[in-house]
Amino acid sequence: MQYNPGWHNSSVNLLHVRAVGPNDTLHFVWSSIGAPAVLLVATESRSSVLRLNWTRLLSPAPAGAVWIDPPSSVVYSTAVVFTKVFEYSEAQTREELFYPTYDLADFSWDSVNRTLNHTALTAEFTGTPATGSGDSFSNGSLAFRVTAYEAGGRDVPLPSLLHTANSSKVEFVLAGVAPRGNSSRFALEVATVEETGVVQKLRSARSIDDEYTPTVFETLSLVAESRNASSVLSFLQWKATAYGSQTPRREDSIQCRSRGLQAANWTLPASSIVHAYFGEGLGSTFTVSAINISFGGEDGKVYQEKRFLRWSALLGFGQSPEDTFSPLVISITAVALGTPLAMLLLGSCLLLFARRKRYSDYEPIN
């Protein structure tokens, strides 16, 4: 993990996570320049490196300021951008009342270097609106917590996401932000950038097994597939829940919904790390899509009470991890279903045996 490689000023944030495999390298480039974003680049070289032109990157025209060397080693690249936070409430007429939008490109971000943990492989981007926030952020903040992984496993805190070494986790956190309505709900706009020929799909997987995330039976994945659907190139995956506590329990669950995937070439900030890497091809050579992820129950009172919201998502390369039944659940299911079946079979055998053992009214000759 490298913070602002080649730059000795903490007024901006760029975090480079480099994962080297047997025959390839994965690059995760997180940044709050322009808007919070992560650039994902997969290369087929163990020696590929990130190059930055800081002068151009911090200029109004950053195209070409970020690249991977050697360029020929790049086999796939994509980006995820967190562009806006919406706050809204539902009026008595069942219509949604929207308050002024929080544009994350206009936020002021603290230095990530103060939260960087090279042992736990974590960092935190914490920001507040630069202007015009009123009293909402006087005692609150918005943050994106980043976690990298060296191996596969499962997170301990809810929602206990299953991860691989090819993935990283991001947590969206609202803490202490005063709502502007009596039943305010929040929604996060997430934009993605893909090469032409790559198809994005929103998938929903439901399971009766809620062992790792109690009362939550749905997992959503925004996947990027090759045009012929022969392989999954990248994913953004999350459980259909958020939590209203720093140490979440089942009762702290907040309903999470996804509102349609749509083309959104208009939604990216004018200058960002995404423009620095993809250049002027955004909207032509590269396509931009967006999805809104909303948080809040039917009445939106969970956040009102605790003023804390945390949503976790996993992003990475290749096929997204899939939960399977654990040996414990399989054992319990086998006992629950097997015991009645065994009793039924035993009863049937006893009944057949009793029917075959008939008694006669005739006396034996001898």
Side-chain angles (χ1 to χ4, degrees):
M1 301 180 74
Q2 295 177 295
Y3 174 71
N4 286 355
W7 186 255
H8 304 289
N9 190 327
S10 59
S11 61
V12 294
N13 292 312
L14 188 145
L15 178 65
H16 177 216
V17 181
R18 184 169 176 263
V20 181
N23 301 302
D24 56 5
T25 302
L26 304 180
H27 298 269
F28 296 82
V29 186
W30 301 85
S31 176
S32 59
I33 300 174
V38 55
L39 175 67
L40 294 83
V41 183
T43 70
E44 55 184 2
S45 169
R46 298 185 77 253
S47 58
S48 62
V49 294
L50 175 70
R51 302 295 187 189
L52 300 165
N53 182 329
W54 281 98
T55 302
R56 182 180 298 176
L57 179 60
L58 301 178
S59 71
V66 178
W67 71 97
I68 298 296
D69 193 20
S72 59
S73 66
V74 176
V75 293
Y76 174 70
S77 57
T78 183
V80 177
V81 189
F82 304 99
T83 53
K84 299 174 183 177
V85 172
F86 301 101
E87 182 181 352
Y88 63 98
S89 61
E90 197 170 78
Q92 293 181 352
T93 59
R94 310 300 293 178
E95 294 182 356
E96 293 175 342
L97 171 64
F98 280 83
Y99 299 96
T101 303
Y102 293 119
D103 192 335
L104 300 185
D106 297 330
F107 271 46
S108 176
W109 301 92
D110 296 342
S111 173
V112 170
N113 198 36
R114 288 180 288 184
T115 64
L116 187 58
N117 188 324
H118 289 275
T119 303
L121 300 179
T122 59
E124 183 170 326
F125 295 78
T126 303
T128 55
T131 57
S133 64
D135 297 328
S136 297
F137 277 82
S138 58
N139 295 311
S141 63
L142 180 152
F144 291 93
R145 297 173 183 171
V146 176
T147 303
Y149 299 109
E150 292 181 312
R154 185 182 296 277
D155 283 348
V156 175
L158 291 175
S160 303
L161 294 174
L162 179 67
H163 61 261
T164 68
N166 293 340
S167 61
S168 292
K169 181 178 70 171
V170 59
E171 297 173 281
F172 168 64
V173 180
L174 277 179
V177 178
R180 291 173 284 185
N182 294 328
S183 58
S184 284
R185 307 175 194 177
F186 294 91
L188 175 66
E189 184 183 69
V190 182
T192 60
V193 180
E194 293 291 348
E195 301 173 358
T196 302
V198 176
V199 179
Q200 282 206 321
K201 296 180 180 179
L202 180 63
R203 296 177 177 174
S204 173
R206 295 182 179 272
S207 171
I208 62 172
D209 182 17
D210 68 339
E211 176 186 4
Y212 301 107
T213 312
T215 72
V216 179
F217 302 93
E218 183 181 17
T219 301
L220 295 110
S221 300
L222 184 59
V223 299
E225 297 179 344
S226 55
R227 179 67 69 177
N228 57 8
S230 61
S231 62
V232 175
L233 302 173
S234 65
F235 63 88
L236 177 69
Q237 183 185 66
W238 65 95
K239 292 289 185 75
T241 184
Y243 291 94
S245 173
Q246 295 189 37
T247 54
R249 297 169 297 175
R250 181 180 62 182
E251 54 267 30
D252 299 318
S253 179
I254 298 175
Q255 191 176 34
C256 174
R257 295 177 178 174
S258 302
R259 302 190 176 188
L261 179 67
Q262 59 182 344
N265 292 334
W266 44 266
T267 199
L268 289 183
S271 62
S272 68
I273 190 173
V274 177
H275 286 85
Y277 181 82
F278 291 101
E280 303 301 329
L282 291 174
S284 55
T285 307
F286 304 95
T287 58
V288 182
S289 303
I291 186 172
N292 288 341
I293 301 170
S294 61
F295 314 99
E298 294 300 326
D299 54 7
K301 291 183 179 179
V302 177
Y303 183 81
Q304 296 279 349
E305 296 173 356
K306 300 185 178 180
R307 294 199 178 182
F308 185 88
L309 169 69
R310 181 175 66 84
W311 172 74
S312 304
L314 201 68
L315 50 85
F317 299 91
Q319 187 72 40
S320 58
E322 295 183 5
D323 272 318
T324 57
F325 290 103
S326 70
L328 176 62
V329 171
I330 294 174
S331 301
I332 294 174
T333 305
V335 172
L337 298 178
T339 301
L341 183 60
M343 293 178 65
L344 179 63
L345 291 175
L346 180 61
S348 300
C349 292
L350 291 175
L351 182 61
L352 289 173
F353 178 76
R355 292 185 62 184
R356 287 184 178 182
K357 188 177 181 181
R358 295 180 180 274
Y359 294 94
S360 175
D361 293 333
Y362 293 96
E363 294 293 334
I365 295 177
N366 297 323

